[in-house]
């Protein structure tokens, strides 16, 4: 996103026009990704004014006056980090509405309280309320429940739950482990790596990670030599021993960790001299949920820069007096994307074909696109862990 800081900042109506050209198939060299670029939004010198049109109750807020109804489900009153992140996302939505959405959308924000069961109820209510898009929920069980619904009239859902795999028409917004692993593997393959091994926690998620990594490697003519599931810390040593029996000299070992600390697998790999001169290790964003240890040294990880929120960062800080983070960026991008589509095609222009545009979208966290299975793909920075810190290797793992 560094180059985005230097681009011209035309008026908002120009952004909407560019998006309309892209979405409606006009003869334009532009793409949706260019149109959604927050750097292209004209902003005043003063902090953005946040408009709350109506407050039906403490649990419900309505922003904007536009004809397109959008529902947003956030854990505003939840305790701890869930509530903090929910309130950050609400501020991000307010900024996006001020920038683009107020004349286009009526955004109804409901408080899920961080309660998965209540969030599920609100999600079902939102889906049947006439909303054209549902942004959220953040609770994983609720997002998974929505993905199982099969009604043909269900609106597009932009789920904000961590570690959500997605489903048809229910898109995973937040970076998932499968996407991080795939991007990291692809970055190594782009440099010439051909033979890869995937170590992944056993379970339903293993197939998702394997599929995404396989697809990413195929772009570069590389392949997974084998996928080895492991079940627990005790199974780590066996998984690495099995790898040695099944594959000679892999170029790269990809280590997915799921909810667990990757250290047991890394201990077993280190005993085999991996990483080393001939074999690299690729980790995932889930590693970063645990304290960095010397065992992480030398591994590569593709992940969103948690401190980089693109062109919205300064305006967000000026408006709300605290620093934006990746949760802010996710919420801003989804509201901005919805507003852009409403501008281009009107309230009835929302469908899966539009959201699955292969050109993708450029948001405050960089380029991203949604796949037909509900997963997302992101172009993100590629790092190497050195002395316990992420050292930038490449600014982008790929482009669309």
């Amino acid at each position: 996103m560094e180059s985005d800081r230097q681009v011209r900042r035309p008026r908002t109506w120009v952004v909407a026009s560019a998006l309309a050209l892209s979405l409606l198939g006009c003869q334009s060299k532009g793409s949706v990704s260019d149109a959604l670029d927050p750097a292209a939004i004209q902003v005043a010198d003063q902090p953005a004014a946040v408009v709350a049109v109506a407050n039906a109750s403490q649990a419900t807020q309505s922003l904007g006056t536009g004809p397109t109804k959008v529902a947003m489900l956030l854990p505003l009153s939840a305790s701890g980090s869930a509530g903090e992140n929910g309130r950050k996302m609400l501020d991000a939505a307010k900024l996006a509405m001020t920038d683009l959405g107020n004349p286009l959308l009526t955004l109804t924000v409901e408080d899920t309280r961080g309660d998965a069961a209540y969030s599920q109820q609100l999600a079902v209510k939102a889906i049947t309320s006439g909303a054209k898009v549902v942004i959220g929920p953040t609770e994983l069980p609720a997002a998974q429940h929505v993905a199982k619904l099969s009604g043909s009239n269900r609106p597009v859902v932009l789920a904000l739950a961590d570690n959500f795999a997605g489903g048809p028409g229910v898109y995973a917004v937040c970076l998932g482990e499968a996407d991080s692993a795939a991007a990291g593997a692809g970055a190594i393959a782009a440099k010439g790596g051909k033979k890869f091994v995937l170590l992944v926690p056993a379970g339903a998620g293993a197939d998702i990670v394997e599929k995404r990594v396989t697809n990413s490697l195929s772009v570069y003519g590389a392949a997974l030599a084998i996928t080895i599931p492991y079940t627990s810390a005790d199974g780590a040593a066996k998984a690495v021993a099995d790898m040695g029996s099944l594959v000679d000299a892999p170029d790269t070992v990809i280590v997915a960790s799921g909810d667990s600390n990757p250290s047991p697998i890394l201990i077993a790999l280190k005993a085999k001299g991996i990483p080393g001169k001939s074999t690299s290790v690729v980790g995932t964003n889930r590693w970063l949920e645990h304290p960095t240890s010397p065992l992480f040294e030398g591994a590569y990880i593709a992940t969103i820069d948690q401190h980089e929120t693109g062109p919205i960062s300064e305006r967000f800080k000026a408006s709300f007096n605290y620093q934006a983070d990746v949760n802010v960026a996710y919420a801003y991008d989804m509201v901005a994307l919805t507003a852009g589509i409403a501008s281009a095609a009107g309230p009835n222009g929302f469908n899966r074909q539009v959201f699955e545009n292969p050109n993708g979208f450029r948001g405050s966290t960089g380029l991203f696109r949604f796949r037909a299975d509900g997963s997302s793909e992101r172009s993100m920075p590629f790092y190497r862990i050195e002395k316990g810190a992420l050292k930038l290797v490449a600014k982008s793992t790929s482009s669309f």
Side-chain angles (χ1 to χ4, degrees):
M1 294 296 293
E2 284 77 6
S3 62
D4 293 336
R5 297 179 186 276
Q6 307 301 323
V7 301
R8 293 181 298 110
R9 301 168 80 88
R11 296 187 182 278
T12 302
W13 68 267
V14 176
V15 179
S17 298
L19 183 54
L21 290 172
S22 175
L23 290 175
L24 300 179
C26 297
Q27 298 301 313
S28 169
K29 296 181 180 179
S31 68
V32 176
S33 63
D34 297 325
L36 186 60
D37 185 353
I41 297 171
Q42 175 70 28
V43 294
D45 293 334
Q46 299 297 320
V50 174
V51 180
V53 176
N55 287 297
S57 70
Q58 290 184 346
T60 303
Q61 300 183 48
S62 183
L63 308 174
T65 57
T68 300
K69 293 176 60 178
V70 179
M72 191 171 195
L73 310 177
L74 299 174
L76 301 177
S77 63
S79 60
S81 60
E84 181 181 357
N85 290 336
R87 292 184 288 274
K88 287 179 180 179
M89 289 180 172
L90 176 59
D91 286 344
K94 291 176 179 177
L95 183 62
M97 290 294 288
T98 298
D99 284 347
L100 288 169
N102 278 333
L104 298 165
L105 311 177
T106 295
L107 180 67
T108 301
V109 184
E110 298 276 4
D111 179 15
T112 68
R113 308 193 297 246
D115 183 313
Y118 183 57
S119 178
Q120 180 175 309
Q121 295 174 21
L122 288 180
V124 170
K125 176 183 174 183
I127 287 170
T128 58
S129 69
K132 299 299 183 181
V133 178
V134 177
I135 303 174
T138 64
E139 296 81 9
L140 180 58
Q144 292 171 329
H145 176 77
V146 171
K148 295 176 182 177
L149 302 178
S150 59
S152 59
N153 293 326
R154 183 186 64 194
V156 164
V157 178
L158 302 170
L160 295 168
D162 285 332
N163 306 312
F164 174 55
V170 184
Y171 301 107
V173 173
C174 304
L175 175 65
E177 183 164 45
D179 304 310
S180 176
I188 296 292
K191 299 296 184 181
K194 294 297 183 183
K195 187 191 296 186
F196 291 74
V197 171
L198 172 63
L199 300 176
V200 60
D207 289 342
I208 296 170
V209 177
E210 180 181 38
K211 180 180 178 181
R212 289 286 290 110
V213 170
T214 299
N215 289 342
S216 180
L217 292 177
S218 68
V219 173
Y220 303 98
L224 274 177
I226 195 167
T227 297
I228 303 176
Y230 61 94
T231 55
S232 65
D234 293 336
K238 184 178 186 305
V240 173
D242 289 346
M243 180 185 75
S245 300
L246 297 166
V247 182
D248 281 331
D251 296 318
T252 303
V253 179
I254 306 157
V255 180
S257 60
D259 296 329
S260 302
N261 193 309
S263 292
I265 283 283
L266 299 179
I267 289 171
L269 287 171
K270 191 173 183 65
K272 299 289 187 181
I274 301 173
K277 290 184 178 180
S278 61
T279 306
S280 300
V281 171
V282 168
T284 74
N285 63 312
R286 298 298 302 272
W287 287 27
L288 305 179
E289 297 173 7
H290 306 279
T292 303
S293 83
L295 293 167
F296 291 19
E297 191 73 8
Y300 294 92
I301 293 179
T303 189
I304 293 173
D305 183 347
Q306 300 293 306
H307 303 291
E308 176 58 67
T309 52
I312 71 169
S313 183
E314 292 181 5
R315 290 186 294 111
F316 187 88
K317 177 71 179 294
S319 297
F320 301 104
N321 202 32
Y322 66 93
Q323 190 62 51
D325 63 9
V326 70
N327 296 294
V328 167
Y330 286 144
Y332 180 97
D333 287 352
M334 293 308 102
V335 175
L337 173 59
T338 304
I341 293 172
S343 175
N348 297 318
F350 293 87
N351 56 65
R352 289 178 55 184
Q353 182 179 3
V354 169
F355 281 90
E356 293 167 19
N357 188 322
N359 290 325
F361 312 97
R362 182 180 297 279
S364 51
T365 57
L367 287 171
F368 66 95
R369 63 183 174 187
F370 297 122
R371 294 175 171 270
D373 63 0
S375 65
S376 60
E377 182 180 3
R378 290 182 174 273
S379 177
M380 66 195 89
F382 189 51
Y383 300 95
R384 188 173 188 269
I385 299 177
E386 296 184 7
K387 297 180 180 179
L390 295 175
K391 182 178 180 180
L392 185 66
V393 174
K395 293 181 180 179
S396 175
T397 52
S398 64
S399 59
F400 304 146

